[in-house]
Amino acid sequence: MENKVQNNYPTIIVHGFLGVCEGKYNYFNYIFRYFGGFTGDVVKSLNKRGYEVYLPGLGAFAPVWDRCCDLYAYIFGGTVDYGKVHSEKYGHARYGRTYPGVLKDLGTPGDHAKVNLVGHSFGGPTLCLFSSLMQQGAQDEIDGTPADELSPFFKGGHGDLIHSVTTLNGTNSGTTLVEMLPRSVRNGIQFGINSVIAATGRSGFAKVIDFKMDEWGLTVDPDEATEGFQNPLDLKDLIKKNSQSDENMFHQMSVEYSRQLADERYCMSPTTYYFAQRCVRTHPNKKGKHNANLTNTMPLFDLTAPIIGRYTNKSMGIDESWFPNDGMVPLPSQGAPYNMPSVDYYDGIKVEPGIWYNMPVTDNDHESMVGMFVNNDKTDNRFEKIIKAFQYLPDA
Amino acid sequence: MAEQKKPTPVKPKKTTAVSESGERRVVLSAKTDPLAFLQEEKQKLTEEIEKAQETDEALKAQLTKKEEPVSSEFTVNKSRKAANREAEQAWEDAKKQMAQWSENSSFDWLRDDPNDEEDEEEGIPISRARRQPISPAQRRNRGYDRTKQILAVCLIFVAMAVSVGGFLFDKLDLVQFDDGVKTEVKPTDTSLLDEAAAITEEELKGLEFTNDYPMLPKGEVFRDPDVINILLLGTDERTTRFNTNARSDSMILLSIHTRNHTVKLVSFERGTGVPILEGEYKGQYDWLTHCFRYGGANLVMEEIQACYLLDCGHYVRTNIQAFMKLIDVVGGVDIYLSDREADYINHWYNYRYATNHVKEMSIRDELHAVGVGKNHLNGATAMLYARCRALDNDFGRMKRQRIVMQAIFNQIKDLSIPELNNLLNTMLPLIQTNFSRGELATLVLEVPEIISSDFETMQLPESGTFGKMSGMEGRSLFAPDFERNAADLKAFLYG
């Protein structure tokens, strides 16, 4: 690694569960930003500081596959193709919205030769899958789709366009907070979430919060949202279709699903750097169980952190090393995804592509990491530091 | 000759001086006795040499002691410690080198700032951390806006409430909801009514026969907004599917007093003679249980309302199969059996009614032997117990049904969340009701109250308040004094 700036590649930041970000209207995003909270705006601040940063609004409750397809269309432009095989398997629409493309020229020499990807929380697995699909494509889609219909996204071979993948407090191996719930409860919670989406998704409310689940029939493009509030019971079948399938986002945050996804889909690109930023906001008590730190922890995490800090599951190999957490995700889960090559980063280690680096643990909770309810400058500086680090990584 | 003067010895005067090199020198004055002085100096030097030799020997002795031969074990430990020391030293050096390297490198990642106030608590035991004084300046600099925190928590709780609501509605969707359309009161082939269900002569023994049909009570239906009345109907289909040709063999009123937090159960005798209020047989008297076949749950509720002035607009219907499943899903029930009851269950094949029941339900293989006293019964055996009236009469059967119901609630109390979830998934599809989803969701709030209560019970008509009469197609009916029973029911439910 040379001691000079190597590149000035753009960065795309991907939100996680509950994230409502960039959208055509999305007035909610003016009030409260996933990256920055009520008073800050990380992306705006980084743009002002001269960094090219984008923040796509992927579905706040959409499954990981759909988010990846949305992200591809967001970057390269065009209509979202969720895949012929995938859409037929889960019984939803194959095509989604059309995006203009923020980096249509990605891959051309210069500042747009590559892109850095940073994902928070559920944005972690989203980027793991996205980078894997970019690298190796999706064999089932290749096999089951006529060649002229196949999206380039599913063909693979574009792994070299991704300079780095960074997960912040990622649910890379799921969270025990979901794992401890029976499947029927996970389905029920997603059913509840989907009911709200269905009730509001076709009404003018879509211009306030755009949940983006068009492919499941729960929402429409805000421009086409001319209907009033819907009775979710009339859309029961649509709601159930998602909540009872494996494409249920809440279920996808389980350890069980995350491991399955990693086994089936994840791969490493030899030209991409991988970093997993981990945070902990708990401390052990006398019995070794973990409780939330007292100060500056979001009150919700005062409740959830001790739950995670006590959960073990022998059959899943979840032991006391999973007790430290950031209020939402246990520490081991924030590291490299399941069965992926990884090493713990330390000062002086030579950073190389094609391997995950578990970065030093910092004292943050799940939301303070992205600037919710904390000092704005500190968050902006944190993201700037990450982006600056990317600039010193040479092309592989 | 002049006497030679002996020179007076003069004490040599000496002064000290320090040379440029720092060496200490003795400078003698010109008039000192050199010999005496030298002797004196020689003495001093000799003493110094002796002291030096002693010190030297002491040092030598110490060195010799250290080099004494030691055991091999000590040597190994010593070498291991030395190796550890060397390794630690090497690691420290490496760390210094890495830190140096890192300072020279531009790749820098996030780290906690040790001066950051947010981090001050790290590592402090919880008991101490609570006592940490916070200065006003620190308080100001927390960087946390409490209002925003509260807003966020509210938002999250709303989201959680919505999720829980969604979960609940998802579950309630499993229930078979009555669409609210009044069941048509249709002509029924009464010859199909099973004679096995008839009131036995034994049950009618001692009752006074009356030719006067019992009169319906006068007055207003009594209501109390704090009381929720739900009629639990157990119909007699032998499969889990409901049909309109069923009879409501079990009719129990579940009355929940939301203010007093009491739960009461009132059983209605199935053979009570009631005037049919609607349909082809309007005005004739027949068993209350037959009203379900004539006009469904709505007609049964109307009859009960008219006969007992009871405010009852909601029902929950299940049947025998569902009841057995319920008992099996909750893991069986604990029931105390008398010797006669135990004998009845163990030798069911000696009783015609029980034999028919076992054959119809195909539960022969599921029945298990029981003893006198406390038994843990499975669904099939508990059902045989609950439907037994051969030992006494239908009033005895109603009492047993209430006992089983209380036992079921006792079991539910101890279920874990996954078991409760399993219970809902199994039972809700086997339930029919005229509650709306919203009403059922509200009713869920009362469930903890119901489960944790000890029930007060009553059965109607009350003993000594009824005679016998002949009703439709010559069937023997119980002829109660409705006026008196209604008054007693009001006193029991509303105080």
Side-chain angles (χ1 to χ4, degrees):
Chain A
M1 197 181 321
E2 293 182 37
N3 188 14
K4 64 175 185 180
V5 171
Q6 304 282 320
N7 61 64
N8 191 23
Y9 297 144
T11 301
I12 293 177
I13 305 178
V14 174
H15 63 80
F17 181 70
L18 272 173
V20 180
C21 296
E22 190 179 290
K24 206 174 283 182
Y25 302 98
N26 241 344
Y27 296 117
F28 181 76
N29 198 39
Y30 292 104
I31 304 163
F32 183 84
R33 283 155 297 280
Y34 188 95
F35 293 94
F38 283 107
T39 52
D41 189 336
V42 171
V43 176
K44 204 171 175 181
S45 169
L46 291 171
N47 287 338
K48 272 186 185 173
R49 296 183 191 191
Y51 300 100
E52 189 179 359
V53 179
Y54 300 98
L55 176 60
L58 309 177
F61 303 103
V64 63
W65 177 278
D66 298 3
R67 287 160 61 89
C68 290
C69 299
D70 278 346
L71 179 58
Y72 183 83
Y74 175 84
I75 295 172
F76 294 96
T79 301
V80 184
D81 182 355
Y82 295 106
K84 183 172 182 289
V85 175
H86 184 88
S87 56
E88 283 173 2
K89 183 178 177 186
Y90 292 103
H92 64 64
R94 178 176 171 185
Y95 296 103
R97 295 186 193 176
T98 301
Y99 291 90
V102 293
L103 292 170
K104 288 171 94 168
D105 58 343
L106 186 64
T108 55
D111 284 352
H112 285 186
K114 288 172 181 267
V115 66
N116 295 301
L117 302 173
V118 178
H120 174 254
S121 189
F122 194 65
T126 304
L127 293 185
C128 294
L129 180 60
F130 180 79
S131 59
S132 300
L133 290 173
M134 287 287 279
Q135 171 68 15
Q136 67 177 9
Q139 196 56 48
D140 47 350
E141 292 293 341
I142 294 169
D143 294 342
T145 314
D148 57 334
E149 281 185 27
L150 184 65
S151 163
F153 181 40
F154 301 128
K155 287 179 185 168
H158 309 301
D160 57 338
L161 297 183
I162 302 173
H163 188 231
S164 69
V165 170
T166 302
T167 64
L168 311 174
N169 309 52
T171 54
N172 299 347
S173 295
T175 169
T176 48
L177 210 53
V178 174
E179 184 62 32
M180 67 183 68
L181 300 173
R183 179 65 199 268
S184 56
V185 176
R186 293 177 210 163
N187 291 359
I189 292 173
Q190 185 72 36
F191 184 92
I193 293 167
N194 288 352
S195 301
V196 175
I197 297 172
T200 59
R202 294 152 190 263
S203 69
F205 194 72
K207 292 176 182 172
V208 181
I209 298 181
D210 183 4
F211 290 115
K212 289 191 178 173
M213 284 184 80
D214 298 11
E215 67 277 21
W216 294 91
L218 301 180
T219 59
V220 293
D221 191 307
D223 279 337
E224 296 162 18
T226 52
E227 300 174 35
F229 287 109
Q230 305 290 304
N231 180 355
L233 296 172
D234 296 340
L235 304 166
K236 193 175 61 189
D237 292 340
L238 292 175
I239 295 167
K240 272 191 172 177
K241 200 189 291 177
N242 173 268
S243 59
Q244 294 187 350
S245 73
D246 271 357
E247 290 297 283
N248 163 347
M249 185 201 197
F250 200 77
H251 167 62
Q252 290 187 339
M253 289 191 290
S254 66
V255 177
E256 170 200 358
Y257 181 85
S258 304
R259 289 180 177 176
Q260 182 191 331
L261 182 69
D263 277 344
E264 289 175 2
R265 297 278 186 192
Y266 289 178
C267 69
M268 306 295 291
S269 163
T271 55
T272 303
Y273 296 91
Y274 296 89
F275 303 102
Q277 174 59 42
R278 303 167 297 165
C279 300
V280 167
R281 244 309 155 70
T282 59
H283 62 274
N285 64 11
K286 283 177 186 172
K287 290 180 180 174
K289 318 282 188 194
H290 273 244
N291 293 322
N293 289 354
L294 288 176
T295 54
N296 298 322
T297 303
M298 190 171 172
L300 175 70
F301 300 146
D302 287 338
L303 301 175
T304 54
I307 296 173
I308 300 172
R310 283 159 176 74
Y311 180 79
T312 56
N313 185 333
K314 277 184 187 171
S315 62
M316 296 291 290
I318 297 170
D319 54 19
E320 58 275 9
S321 68
W322 288 62
F323 287 169
N325 66 82
D326 66 353
M328 275 286 155
V329 189
L331 180 62
S333 185
Q334 298 174 39
Y338 187 60
N339 276 346
M340 292 291 115
S342 66
V343 64
D344 284 350
Y345 176 89
Y346 56 86
D347 287 338
I349 192 171
K350 191 181 179 194
V351 178
E352 290 181 338
I355 186 168
W356 277 93
Y357 288 92
N358 295 321
M359 304 310 281
V361 179
T362 61
D363 175 31
N364 280 103
D365 69 32
H366 196 71
E367 301 307 336
S368 68
M369 185 67 194
V370 290
M372 290 191 198
F373 319 115
V374 290
N375 186 299
N376 298 330
D377 286 341
K378 196 179 282 185
T379 311
D380 296 345
N381 293 340
R382 184 181 297 146
F383 275 84
E384 185 178 12
K385 196 166 187 179
I386 293 172
I387 293 175
K388 266 189 176 171
F390 297 151
Q391 294 184 335
Y392 288 95
L393 297 171
D395 288 357
Chain B
M1 182 170 104
E3 191 176 337
Q4 192 176 356
K5 196 178 179 180
K6 191 177 179 180
T8 308
V10 180
K11 193 173 182 180
K13 288 180 181 175
K14 60 182 177 183
T15 55
T16 53
V18 180
S19 69
E20 285 177 1
S21 62
E23 193 179 351
R24 184 170 165 269
R25 279 186 187 175
V26 178
V27 181
L28 301 178
S29 66
K31 293 182 179 179
T32 55
D33 182 355
L35 185 62
F37 174 70
L38 285 173
Q39 283 176 345
E40 195 179 337
E41 284 298 312
K42 184 183 173 187
Q43 183 66 28
K44 285 178 182 173
L45 283 169
T46 308
E47 287 171 5
E48 280 182 14
I49 288 164
E50 283 172 359
K51 278 183 185 175
Q53 281 175 345
E54 282 171 10
T55 311
D56 198 21
E57 280 170 7
L59 284 170
K60 274 183 184 171
Q62 279 183 3
L63 287 170
T64 312
K65 195 178 179 183
K66 275 185 185 173
E67 286 167 8
E68 280 175 359
V70 289
S71 70
S72 59
E73 187 186 350
F74 182 80
T75 312
V76 171
N77 289 341
K78 187 185 162 194
S79 62
R80 191 177 294 159
K81 282 179 184 172
N84 286 344
R85 272 200 302 275
E86 283 169 15
E88 281 172 17
Q89 187 57 46
W91 174 241
E92 289 300 321
D93 293 344
K95 278 207 293 189
K96 278 178 192 169
Q97 279 179 2
M98 282 192 283
Q100 187 69 31
W101 190 95
S102 183
E103 280 174 18
N104 295 334
S105 167
S106 298
F107 183 83
D108 189 19
W109 200 261
L110 306 178
R111 269 178 200 81
D112 285 333
D113 180 358
N115 299 319
D116 193 337
E117 185 189 314
E118 281 185 17
D119 306 323
E120 67 186 6
E121 184 197 306
E122 198 72 350
I124 297 175
I126 196 162
S127 54
R128 268 182 56 207
R130 284 191 192 286
R131 294 197 298 271
Q132 288 290 304
I134 299 172
S135 71
Q138 280 177 320
R139 204 182 293 279
R140 278 196 301 277
N141 294 331
R142 282 295 180 203
Y144 241 86
D145 186 336
R146 205 68 198 167
T147 314
K148 288 172 188 171
Q149 263 187 28
I150 292 164
L151 263 175
V153 171
C154 290
L155 273 174
I156 286 159
F157 274 101
V158 167
M160 286 169 72
V162 167
S163 301
V164 170
F167 171 71
L168 196 60
F169 270 75
D170 186 29
K171 290 290 169 215
L172 293 181
D173 204 38
L174 298 170
V175 175
Q176 299 179 44
F177 284 98
D178 191 336
D179 57 8
V181 178
K182 200 168 185 177
T183 314
E184 186 188 350
V185 181
K186 56 185 181 292
T188 306
D189 183 0
T190 56
S191 63
L192 293 174
L193 295 170
D194 184 6
E195 278 309 305
I199 298 172
T200 61
E201 284 304 315
E202 188 70 24
E203 290 174 271
L204 294 168
K205 194 185 285 181
L207 295 179
E208 191 180 333
F209 187 82
T210 175
N211 281 320
D212 297 328
Y213 288 123
M215 299 299 292
L216 293 180
K218 291 173 185 166
E220 290 288 310
V221 171
F222 35 87
R223 303 175 195 278
D224 185 336
D226 293 325
V227 176
I228 302 169
N229 288 329
I230 306 163
L231 186 61
L232 308 178
L233 295 171
T235 50
D236 62 354
E237 299 97 339
R238 271 30 174 185
T239 65
T240 53
R241 296 187 65 178
F242 293 125
N243 68 49
T244 54
N245 220 23
R247 288 169 302 188
S248 52
D249 267 3
S250 175
M251 291 165 284
I252 298 176
L253 181 81
L254 176 69
S255 182
I256 307 158
H257 202 300
T258 54
R259 191 155 39 84
N260 295 347
H261 307 295
T262 55
V263 179
K264 294 172 182 174
L265 292 178
V266 181
S267 302
F268 296 97
E269 163 55 42
R270 55 186 287 285
T272 305
V274 295
I276 300 168
L277 298 173
E278 288 185 41
E280 189 189 355
Y281 309 114
K282 186 173 179 180
Q284 298 194 58
Y285 276 72
D286 202 353
W287 292 333
L288 180 59
T289 181
H290 282 178
C291 290
F292 192 90
R293 183 173 285 187
Y294 301 148
N298 289 329
L299 183 59
V300 175
M301 287 191 294
E302 273 183 46
E303 297 287 349
I304 289 176
Q305 182 157 319
C307 294
Y308 297 105
L309 297 179
L310 175 69
D311 169 31
C312 177
H314 291 108
Y315 75 90
V316 173
R317 176 190 178 187
T318 183
N319 64 20
I320 301 172
Q321 280 284 1
F323 205 63
M324 286 199 297
K325 272 187 183 256
L326 169 62
I327 293 167
D328 285 332
V329 168
V330 300
V333 286
D334 289 331
I335 303 284
Y336 284 89
L337 298 176
S338 67
D339 52 350
R340 292 186 68 213
E341 288 167 340
D343 181 67
Y344 173 83
I345 292 172
N346 288 333
H347 304 102
W348 53 269
Y349 40 80
N350 292 336
Y351 299 86
R352 185 173 65 88
Y353 183 73
T355 308
N356 289 341
H357 177 67
V358 171
K359 277 184 187 170
E360 286 166 3
M361 305 291 290
S362 306
I363 54 172
R364 185 179 185 142
D365 296 338
E366 295 171 41
L367 295 172
H368 58 79
V370 294
V372 178
K374 188 179 176 182
N375 286 271
H376 192 73
L377 306 184
N378 66 7
T381 314
M383 180 50 69
L384 198 62
Y385 165 81
R387 286 181 66 82
C388 164
R389 62 178 176 138
L391 300 178
D392 32 38
N393 52 32
D394 208 44
F395 290 95
R397 177 164 81 162
M398 289 195 292
K399 185 182 173 189
R400 280 187 275 277
Q401 287 171 358
R402 291 196 301 270
I403 289 171
V404 173
M405 191 164 287
Q406 174 86 62
I408 291 169
F409 285 124
N410 287 342
Q411 282 295 117
I412 293 174
K413 277 182 211 172
D414 300 328
L415 294 185
S416 64
I417 289 175
E419 286 169 335
L420 272 175
N421 187 48
N422 185 31
L423 170 69
L424 293 175
N425 286 341
T426 310
M427 289 311 299
L428 291 181
L430 304 177
I431 283 174
Q432 187 186 51
T433 183
N434 65 342
F435 275 111
S436 68
R437 287 174 176 80
E439 287 168 333
L440 264 190
T442 313
L443 201 62
V444 168
L445 301 174
E446 302 296 332
V447 169
E449 192 69 56
I450 298 171
I451 291 174
S452 59
S453 295
D454 282 328
F455 302 153
E456 295 175 54
T457 61
M458 180 190 195
Q459 58 188 26
L460 293 175
E462 288 186 294
S463 176
T465 66
F466 60 94
K468 63 182 174 184
M469 66 177 183
S470 182
M472 199 169 137
E473 295 182 349
R475 277 189 281 278
S476 296
L477 319 174
F478 293 119
D481 177 350
F482 285 125
E483 191 86 50
R484 191 172 154 190
N485 277 287
D488 289 347
L489 178 62
K490 183 182 179 185
F492 176 68
L493 293 182
Y494 302 96

